Amino acid sequence: MSFRDDGSFMKEPMDDLGLIKLSGSIEHVIYSNEENGYAICDLGTDADELITITGTLPYIGEGDVVTVYGRWVHNPKYGRQFKVEQSEKQLPADKASILRYLSSGTVKGIGPKTAKRVVDEFGEETFDVIENHPEWLAQINGITLKRAHEISADFKNKAGIRSAMLFFREFFGATMTVRIYKKWGSSAVDVAKNNPYRLCEEIEGIGFERADRFASKMGVEQNSQERLCSGVQYMLNANAQQNGHVCLPREKLVASAAKLLGAREEEIAEAVSTLLREQKIRTVTFDSVCYLYDKRCYDHEKYIARKLLLLDKVCPAMDTANIDAFVRKEEQESGMHYAQMQRKAIFDALENGVMLLTGGPGTGKTTVVRALLHIFSSMDLRIALCAPTGRAAKRLSESTSCEAKTIHRLLEYGGEEGKGVCFHRDETNLLDENVIIMDEASMVDNDLMSALLHAVKPGARVVIIGDADQLPSVGAGNVLRDLLESGRFSTVRLNEIFRQAQESMIVTNAHAINRGEMPRLDIKNNDFFFLPRNSDAEIAATVAQLCQIRLPKAYGELAVRGTQVISPSRKGETGTEHLNVLLQEALNPPMSGKREHRFREIVFREGDRVMQTRNDYDVEWERDDGSFGNGVFNGDIGTILRIDPREEQVEIRFDDRTVLYDFSMLDELEPAYAITVHKSQGSEYPIVVFPLGSATSMLLSRNLFYTAVTRAQNMVILVGRADVIRTMVENNRQSMRYTGLVQWLREAEE
């Protein structure tokens, strides 16, 4: 609404979506981010008002004539503003407006003085000259022919984004349109019209359903080959991302795709044949069953098998007597006496190119790693110690007193805008290390494993360590379990719980759970507690009370900083979504001076604990030491330090790094007072609170329970129903994943 001088208001025109429409020219650009198009501007409206507008306004410049659609918002610091959701930009038409537009620097290569000379020469035909006759600009003093063409190219580029914004307005938001335009430039509209399904195949954030709706508007027939082919690829990719399947049985895929796409199975089979001919998918037969692969998944899985077999084969042999001498020397220097299986693990790692080490908590995996580090170092071998997540790498560093890196950092990840991740270490730039020791391997998916192996030089040793009884990776594949099941590599499973670990009920109960036995819930004054509650509401209330009052009162700063609520489910009263609302209210309530911002259904507040929900390789961070880098990853947890409503930015601290997020990026974050068990993988917390309420049977499983319990360093508190504990212990249902790694390894062996 607009305010009259007397304080009353009048209604403003709205479009079909209920958005308010304003028109005018840009008087001043307060802030502009060229990467994502976000801007803050003063708009002089047709009604002679000066209004601050914010939102995605790509390539905006002073003098631009715009029509914007959005809503009024109240900024606590700057007052009333207009938040733009859609916009249209027109070029100014009269000489004065054209001069102002060009003088603002919107078109690269033209400053105020040059703008005046150009407009004086060409008047109202200036834009036509710049776009269609750039060579005429060379007549102007100070403009060379090369510069004239550069000016024209930049002008056309900005004209292209105007066209794209107009064309895509009813289908995608402004931020997504900028992403589309950055991918295909001035041809974006033509590319999308010619094959709408390239949108979901090549633009991150546009799923098949959105592309399909767009295609329908473009008149694409429901049974068109491009739609059916894209739908089949979508099924493969969605199952990889959501269910971890590297491939799918052909019959199941055809039937599921036909149902999803509303097509006959014969039509889907024809689409599959087309994709196979175009080599966009692959087919493999294992045990008389035909499987279909996305090409990328196929290439990664085959490469993992081939490279691991090569590394195991070409590793330089060591004399057994020398190995024994190394181990005895290590025992003398460390004062350790290694158990039989620990000793075997050390021998096998020294004898083989690839060795797998698995075992539960308290079984001495870290002791083996320390021994290997000392022995390999004494052999003057260069060692890389790595883990899939930052928290896992940090924990590995602390337990071994050696630097451990994330796999991404080891591979020197980088990226280009819109192209996702790339690793600077690969087969053309191999790692220098002779030994690669990777921990928390149960979390490593096919993509990351393939990337790591591409960078390992032939002759290097690879030691893969993990707990095979934990949940599998979030991404596609089941690498650790498949390697163990193949029987192809030297494998040591540590089962003995050492005396010091036996004193912990966390360790004792974790192993009991893994064996299918009920944990001991009656031991007092230890590190494992059970608080029985009957209803989900009681469970949620108790969890909030523990975190707000009881634990901080008993354990002080350890509880304040180190308590993590881990839930089996996102939904329901004991799920993370509801618990995060309760815990935010209990631990970080609203108060004067503490800024907050609502994004969709979530209120982000200064002081909140938040989690990154997907890998973002482009976002820039700054370390405490002043160094800069890029990349925040799925599962990273940080704290909101500052919310700036004026610049629409949120400053978040992740361990020793600080990151600035635009408001448009907040869909990458969620509250992290309570997290799911899947998101907790690879991390440990001093105190874990685990609610045991209603959830689907799929989530009430033994390995999920085991994974949650083993996240705790000092204390586990179970809150809820004993029957849920029994259900989880007795439910040994493993999440089935379609993979082919075991078959690739066994076939190669034969």
Side-chain angles (χ1 to χ4, degrees):
M1 60 188 66
S2 293
F3 291 83
R4 297 189 178 95
D5 293 336
D6 63 2
S8 63
F9 63 88
M10 55 185 178
K11 292 184 178 179
E12 287 159 331
M14 293 190 178
D15 70 354
D16 293 340
L17 299 176
L19 300 177
I20 298 169
K21 174 183 175 182
L22 298 178
S23 297
S25 62
I26 300 299
E27 299 297 320
H28 179 51
V29 178
I30 300 168
Y31 171 82
S32 177
N33 185 323
E34 196 168 307
E35 288 298 311
N36 59 23
Y38 178 78
I40 304 172
C41 310
D42 284 334
L43 175 72
T45 71
D46 297 342
D48 292 330
E49 291 180 286
L50 191 65
I51 294 169
T52 300
I53 63 173
T54 69
T56 302
L57 298 156
Y59 304 123
I60 200 72
E62 293 175 8
D64 272 336
V65 178
V66 298
T67 299
V68 294
Y69 303 83
R71 293 182 172 86
W72 291 107
V73 296
H74 181 76
N75 184 297
K77 185 174 181 180
Y78 300 102
R80 189 178 69 131
Q81 295 181 340
F82 190 81
K83 186 171 184 178
V84 176
E85 297 189 20
Q86 298 173 356
S87 67
E88 299 171 0
K89 185 161 60 172
Q90 302 86 38
L91 288 173
D94 61 89
K95 282 182 64 174
S97 297
I98 293 172
L99 176 60
R100 185 158 177 259
Y101 175 82
L102 291 178
S103 297
S104 70
T106 299
V107 178
K108 290 181 181 178
I110 298 183
K113 291 181 180 179
T114 303
K116 188 174 188 311
R117 289 196 293 268
V118 171
V119 175
D120 284 347
E121 179 70 24
F122 301 111
E124 294 180 356
E125 304 300 319
T126 294
F127 290 145
D128 180 61
V129 170
I130 293 175
E131 183 170 6
N132 300 309
H133 306 286
E135 65 278 5
W136 296 1
L137 293 175
Q139 302 170 16
I140 305 296
N141 185 34
I143 301 180
T144 64
L145 185 60
K146 178 184 177 183
R147 183 181 170 192
H149 284 288
E150 289 173 347
I151 290 170
S152 180
D154 188 65
F155 182 82
K156 288 176 181 177
N157 182 49
K158 291 175 171 61
I161 189 65
R162 285 196 300 273
S163 299
M165 294 293 286
L166 284 170
F167 178 75
F168 291 115
R169 194 188 81 168
E170 92 177 81
F171 308 105
F172 309 107
T175 302
M176 192 61 69
T177 298
V178 171
R179 195 174 294 175
I180 295 169
Y181 189 77
K182 281 183 174 291
K183 176 72 175 178
W184 294 314
S186 58
S187 61
V189 172
D190 290 335
V191 169
K193 282 182 176 179
N194 291 335
N195 184 359
Y197 295 98
R198 287 185 64 180
L199 289 164
C200 62
E201 294 168 6
E202 300 181 43
I203 306 297
E204 186 176 355
I206 298 181
F208 177 80
E209 291 91 343
R210 291 180 74 183
D212 200 32
R213 287 195 296 270
F214 173 78
S216 178
K217 291 281 188 179
M218 294 296 104
V220 176
E221 296 292 335
Q222 189 174 14
N223 63 346
S224 69
Q225 273 291 292
E226 62 183 23
R227 177 176 186 267
L228 300 183
C229 287
S230 182
V232 168
Q233 289 184 288
Y234 164 75
M235 290 289 291
L236 286 170
N237 290 326
N239 273 279
Q241 294 170 11
Q242 299 168 18
N243 302 316
H245 299 307
V246 180
C247 53
L248 290 173
R250 181 169 182 154
E251 287 189 4
K252 286 192 174 184
L253 174 61
V254 169
S256 298
K259 185 176 180 181
L260 173 74
L261 300 171
R264 292 181 290 109
E265 291 191 12
E266 294 81 1
E267 293 174 317
I268 300 297
E270 184 179 343
V272 167
S273 298
T274 299
L275 290 168
L276 288 170
R277 284 196 304 272
E278 295 174 351
Q279 298 189 352
K280 292 182 177 179
I281 64 174
R282 294 285 191 271
T283 182
V284 180
T285 300
F286 295 129
D287 299 327
S288 302
V289 178
C290 178
Y291 293 89
L292 294 174
Y293 280 82
D294 172 80
K295 183 181 182 299
R296 181 180 56 82
C297 289
Y298 174 88
D299 290 343
H300 286 177
E301 193 171 69
K302 277 202 80 171
Y303 184 83
I304 292 169
R306 185 169 70 248
K307 185 62 175 283
L308 284 174
L309 291 170
L310 174 67
L311 290 170
D312 202 40
K313 182 179 180 180
V314 303
C315 179
M318 288 188 64
D319 185 271
T320 305
N322 289 337
I323 295 176
D324 189 59
F326 276 120
V327 175
R328 280 190 279 105
K329 181 183 177 183
E330 175 60 25
E331 285 184 320
Q332 291 172 356
E333 292 181 353
S334 66
M336 296 284 297
H337 177 72
Y338 300 117
Q340 180 182 352
M341 293 307 291
Q342 288 180 316
R343 194 177 181 88
K344 175 174 168 49
I346 297 168
F347 266 77
D348 284 6
L350 294 169
E351 282 186 311
N352 297 279
V354 177
M355 195 276 282
L356 311 176
L357 176 63
T358 186
T363 56
K365 296 192 298 295
T366 302
T367 300
V368 173
V369 174
R370 291 197 197 103
L372 290 175
L373 288 170
H374 294 158
I375 293 171
F376 283 132
S377 295
S378 70
M379 297 166 64
D380 294 324
L381 295 177
R382 299 187 63 176
I383 308 162
L385 197 59
C386 62
T389 67
R391 285 177 174 265
K394 183 179 180 182
R395 184 161 50 88
L396 188 58
S397 295
E398 293 169 349
S399 64
T400 61
S401 300
C402 293
E403 183 188 17
K405 298 179 179 180
T406 63
I407 298 174
H408 286 83
R409 187 178 168 209
L410 177 66
L411 299 180
E412 299 173 14
Y413 68 89
E416 298 179 37
E417 180 71 25
K419 294 186 178 179
V421 70
C422 68
F423 294 109
H424 298 298
R425 290 288 185 170
D426 54 23
E427 63 273 15
T428 64
N429 184 25
L430 297 169
L431 292 168
D432 300 320
E433 287 80 2
N434 312 96
V435 180
I436 312 295
I437 299 177
M438 179 178 68
D439 196 15
E440 293 288 356
S442 64
M443 296 182 64
V444 177
D445 60 23
N446 277 23
D447 288 2
L448 192 55
M449 189 67 179
S450 174
L452 175 62
L453 292 175
H454 270 86
V456 177
K457 62 185 179 183
R461 286 177 168 80
V462 176
V463 180
I464 299 172
I465 304 166
D467 188 342
D469 296 313
Q470 290 186 16
L471 293 170
S473 60
V474 174
N478 210 347
V479 175
L480 180 59
R481 288 187 194 171
D482 284 353
L483 296 180
L484 293 168
E485 185 182 338
S486 75
R488 182 61 185 81
F489 305 104
S490 171
T491 300
V492 175
R493 183 181 290 271
L494 301 177
N495 293 314
E496 180 183 353
I497 306 175
F498 290 92
R499 186 175 62 184
Q500 185 176 356
Q502 288 177 352
E503 298 173 2
S504 166
M505 288 306 297
I506 295 175
V507 173
T508 301
N509 279 338
H511 284 273
I513 292 166
N514 202 32
R515 293 191 300 268
E517 301 170 3
M518 282 289 287
R520 291 289 303 275
L521 305 175
D522 57 344
I523 305 297
K524 306 298 182 184
N525 300 320
N526 206 287
D527 56 7
F528 198 102
F529 299 93
F530 173 53
L531 302 180
R533 298 291 186 273
N534 292 322
S535 71
D536 287 357
E538 287 180 295
I539 295 169
T542 301
V543 168
Q545 185 189 50
L546 281 168
C547 296
Q548 181 184 20
I549 301 171
R550 294 171 62 177
L551 289 173
K553 183 177 180 181
Y555 301 101
E557 190 65 20
L558 177 70
V560 172
R561 300 292 179 189
T563 299
Q564 182 61 60
V565 177
I566 301 177
S567 175
S569 175
R570 294 180 63 87
K571 304 297 182 181
E573 285 192 271
T574 59
T576 58
E577 292 179 1
H578 179 66
L579 288 174
N580 271 313
V581 174
L582 285 184
L583 291 168
Q584 183 190 47
E585 184 66 26
L587 303 176
N588 190 33
M591 62 177 60
S592 177
K594 185 178 289 187
R595 286 169 292 192
E596 60 184 48
H597 174 71
R598 176 177 287 277
F599 182 81
R600 295 174 182 165
E601 300 302 316
I602 299 173
V603 174
F604 291 101
R605 186 173 295 136
E606 291 176 340
D608 275 345
R609 183 188 299 179
V610 293
M611 174 181 281
Q612 178 77 12
T613 59
R614 70 175 182 86
N615 292 341
D616 188 329
Y617 302 102
D618 299 321
V619 66
E620 185 178 272
W621 47 255
E622 180 180 1
R623 288 195 190 278
D624 293 346
D625 61 8
S627 61
F628 292 86
N630 293 81
V632 182
F633 302 106
N634 188 1
D636 286 354
I637 291 180
T639 302
I640 296 178
L641 300 181
R642 179 176 60 89
I643 296 176
D644 189 331
R646 177 69 172 177
E647 297 192 3
E648 296 204 352
Q649 289 184 325
V650 179
E651 183 180 358
I652 301 175
R653 184 176 182 82
F654 295 94
D655 294 326
D656 62 343
R657 299 168 297 157
T658 303
V659 182
L660 281 178
Y661 286 75
D662 290 329
F663 281 2
S664 61
M665 298 166 59
L666 293 180
D667 59 347
E668 298 182 10
L669 296 170
E670 63 182 27
Y673 296 105
I675 62 176
T676 62
V677 180
H678 286 85
K679 292 291 188 181
S680 74
Q681 286 178 266
S683 300
E684 283 190 349
Y685 311 93
I687 301 172
V688 167
V689 178
F690 190 57
L692 294 153
S694 303
T696 64
S697 59
M698 184 182 299
L699 294 172
L700 299 180
S701 66
R702 183 186 302 174
N703 67 338
L704 188 141
F705 192 14
Y706 172 78
T707 301
V709 168
T710 54
R711 299 308 89 209
Q713 295 170 313
N714 303 101
M715 183 182 301
V716 169
I717 303 175
L718 308 181
V719 182
R721 292 159 32 201
D723 64 302
V724 175
I725 297 177
R726 183 170 297 281
T727 296
M728 297 185 82
V729 170
E730 293 176 351
N731 180 10
N732 197 27
R733 180 181 182 274
Q734 302 287 337
S735 56
M736 191 279 298
R737 293 191 170 189
Y738 290 113
T739 69
L741 186 54
V742 173
Q743 286 78 4
W744 293 122
L745 290 167
R746 287 177 177 172
E747 286 182 4
E749 186 180 17
E750 295 168 0

